[in-house]
Amino acid sequence: MKLSDPPNIAFVASPVAGAQEALQALISAYGQSSPESADVICALGGDGFMLSTLHRFASLSLPVFGMKLGSVGFLMNHYRPEGLLERLRSAEYSTLKPLEMEALTEAGMRYRFLAYNEVSLLRQTRQAAQLEVSLNGQIRLEELVCDGILVATPAGSTAYNFSAMGPILPLGSAVIALTPIAPFRPRRWRGAILRADTLVRLRVLDPYKRPVSVTADSHEVRDVIEVNIREGNENTVRLLFDPEHNLDDRILNEQFVT
């Protein structure tokens, strides 16, 4: 990756003590640039902090190099303060396109958020949700009774989606996963792999007796009655990885864990 000379790096860190200590050490070694004038953002933390960093700086279209200093680090590289400039120059990148989510609530409010991992609908009470599933305007399931349902990107397919028995999707495959969470009826339906440009519409059939919330990464909206989801072409981000540990390899390796 081409860097300025000297390179302009914007370091950001999660609030945990270890990440804050690493932040100060890296700033002392490499300096600190504002995100607006940087060539690259270096995020210190776990996957949750990486996702918040992507949302926070998406409009800048800067590549992001993460180093693991949190509990989970699927989207992160190993933390090593030495040789950072060489690692950045030799890094490989993976392009992530977010999902665009629009939710309509019982109160008539509309909310729009992006999700780089997944959009998930979940029941809010002890009673299962009742959902109608439409794809590109065509009803595919008139009634899905379940704890919830999610739409995952390839990058997010190894997270909540995989735990819900959804498929792992290769990066760059131009598909998304539609995965039910604990489906009760139809019991044998295990979801679908869809073209990334598919418009997924999820309608709550009984929002008063069986309320449902929706979450786009970390943004939650409660008491929704309809949610529309599709892949977006804006706010595309590039994640940087060490060549020996890139995201494509991680996704492939995850499918052979026994």
Side-chain angles (χ1 to χ4, degrees):
M1 187 183 73
K2 185 177 180 180
L3 297 173
S4 301
D5 188 17
N8 298 316
I9 306 173
F11 293 99
V12 293
S14 73
V16 301
Q20 289 296 311
E21 293 172 4
L23 174 65
Q24 296 307 315
L26 289 167
I27 290 175
S28 297
Y30 300 103
Q32 174 73 310
S33 297
S34 68
E36 292 74 17
S37 61
D39 302 309
V40 60
I41 292 174
C42 185
L44 311 172
D47 279 353
F49 182 73
M50 172 60 84
L51 287 174
S52 68
T53 299
L54 297 181
H55 284 283
R56 182 180 175 187
F57 299 111
S59 62
L60 299 179
S61 300
L62 290 175
V64 182
F65 184 86
M67 289 196 284
K68 181 181 176 181
L69 283 159
S71 57
V72 181
F74 191 79
L75 300 176
M76 315 297 279
N77 299 283
H78 293 300
Y79 174 70
R80 295 195 309 271
E82 66 280 356
L84 178 59
L85 300 186
E86 290 72 21
R87 293 173 71 187
L88 291 175
R89 291 190 179 98
S90 62
E92 298 177 352
Y93 71 88
S94 295
T95 301
L96 305 185
K97 288 187 175 182
L99 297 171
E100 296 178 350
M101 183 274 288
E102 180 183 74
L104 175 64
T105 69
E106 291 180 41
M109 301 294 292
R110 290 187 181 273
Y111 296 88
R112 295 177 177 86
F113 293 109
L114 299 178
Y116 291 96
N117 260 9
E118 78 273 323
V119 174
S120 55
L121 278 72
L122 299 169
R123 63 186 177 100
Q124 290 180 194
T125 67
R126 60 182 177 82
Q127 291 185 299
Q130 289 180 323
L131 306 173
E132 177 190 86
V133 180
S134 298
L135 305 178
N136 293 329
Q138 181 178 355
I139 297 175
R140 292 292 183 173
L141 286 177
E142 293 185 354
E143 183 188 51
L144 171 64
V145 180
C146 57
D147 279 356
I149 192 171
L150 62 85
V151 180
T153 67
S157 65
T158 58
Y160 192 6
N161 172 73
F162 190 42
S163 297
M165 306 302 291
I168 292 179
L169 306 175
L171 288 178
S173 56
V175 294
I176 55 178
L178 178 65
T179 303
I181 303 168
F184 177 72
R185 188 169 60 243
R187 194 181 297 266
R188 294 184 179 179
W189 188 64
R190 290 295 178 262
I193 297 175
L194 311 173
R195 285 174 44 133
D197 60 359
T198 301
L199 172 61
V200 180
R201 176 169 295 166
L202 305 170
R203 191 166 67 90
V204 181
L205 298 178
D206 193 352
Y208 303 105
K209 184 179 179 182
R210 301 170 184 268
V212 172
S213 67
V214 64
T215 302
D217 285 349
S218 60
H219 302 286
E220 183 183 24
V221 180
R222 298 180 70 82
D223 300 314
V224 298
I225 60 174
E226 184 177 292
V227 178
N228 292 286
I229 307 159
R230 75 183 323 157
E231 186 183 70
N233 291 316
E234 298 182 1
N235 294 296
T236 297
V237 297
R238 288 177 294 161
L239 288 186
L240 301 177
F241 295 96
D242 292 320
E244 70 274 11
H245 201 40
N246 63 43
L247 191 55
D248 293 281
D249 289 340
R250 297 184 202 192
I251 289 178
L252 182 61
N253 293 339
E254 192 72 21
Q255 297 177 77
F256 291 90
V257 173
T258 59

